Amino acid sequence: MSDLIVIAYDNESKAEDVRSTLLRLQKEYLVDLEDAVVVTKTEDGKVRLNQSFNIMPASIASGSLWGLLVGMLFLNPLLGVAAGAAGGALAGALTDIGIDDGFMRELGEAFEPGTSALFILVREARLDKVLPEISRYGGKVLRTSLPKEQEEKIQAALMGEARNQATQQAA
């Protein structure tokens, strides 16, 4: 079962940097992500979702391939490819994997303009290795499905590093 973690940042670039760091750590087998989405509330108040896993191109390609095969059976492969691509696009648009888009948009409406949050769906993580990597970006845990003690551990790591950076800048 996966755990949801939502971390708020004061700008989009920090959330994107943390997601990039997590994707790098996934390649090192330190974290297993099911989904990672940056949600930003623009200055004009619109909520934007920046998905890391886009299913649409794969759906279109798969639909085109199946359409080509069916079209060859009926001696009209071009029509089959077009119909298959359209069907694949429709299937991709209707398919929502990972974190529910409606939930992310609803929570994003509560953000201050110009801020963002990283929504992470984690299957498994080595917190002792992951926390030092992401703590340098700071952040505030908004929501999580983790037990209270793990949530507090993550928040303490995020806040501790932020305090250290503020102290170093002041010196």
Side-chain angles (χ1 to χ4, degrees), residues 3 5 22 29-33 122-131 146 150 154:
D3 289 307
I5 304 169
L22 288 171
Y29 302 101
L30 297 175
V31 64
D32 184 11
L33 299 176
V122 181
R123 288 186 194 105
E124 194 175 331
R126 297 269 321 267
L127 285 181
D128 61 324
K129 302 286 186 181
V130 173
L131 283 180
L146 295 169
Q150 283 186 322
I154 293 170

Side-chain angles (χ1 to χ4, degrees), residues 70-165:
V70 171
M72 289 176 70
L73 289 174
F74 294 105
L75 302 174
N76 197 343
L78 291 179
L79 181 62
V81 168
L90 179 63
L94 297 175
T95 303
D96 185 21
I97 58 170
I99 307 167
D100 180 53
D101 291 355
F103 168 71
M104 290 186 288
R105 286 188 192 284
E106 183 180 320
L107 196 55
E109 289 293 334
F111 298 171
E112 292 292 321
T115 61
S116 65
L118 178 61
F119 287 68
I120 314 161
L121 202 53
V122 181
R123 288 186 194 105
E124 194 175 331
R126 297 269 321 267
L127 285 181
D128 61 324
K129 302 286 186 181
V130 173
L131 283 180
E133 293 286 332
I134 67 169
S135 66
R136 64 177 171 227
Y137 299 101
K140 180 178 189 297
V141 176
L142 292 181
R143 296 246 171 112
T144 179
S145 63
L146 295 169
K148 191 71 171 162
E149 61 272 359
Q150 283 186 322
E151 179 181 340
E152 290 170 353
K153 182 178 181 179
I154 293 170
Q155 186 60 63
L158 296 175
M159 293 303 292
E161 188 63 31
R163 257 187 258 120
N164 290 344
Q165 286 181 358

Side-chain angles (χ1 to χ4, degrees), residues 39-42 44-49 101 104-111:
V39 177
T40 304
K41 188 166 188 178
T42 61
D44 60 355
K46 294 181 181 169
V47 176
R48 259 189 352 191
L49 304 182
D101 291 355
M104 290 186 288
R105 286 188 192 284
E106 183 180 320
L107 196 55
E109 289 293 334
F111 298 171

Side-chain angles (χ1 to χ4, degrees), residues 35-70:
D35 200 4
V37 181
V38 173
V39 177
T40 304
K41 188 166 188 178
T42 61
E43 292 296 338
D44 60 355
K46 294 181 181 169
V47 176
R48 259 189 352 191
L49 304 182
N50 186 354
Q51 307 270 356
S52 59
F53 307 114
N54 190 356
I55 196 162
M56 186 69 76
S59 295
I60 292 172
S62 174
S64 296
L65 177 64
W66 283 106
L68 175 67
L69 294 174
V70 171

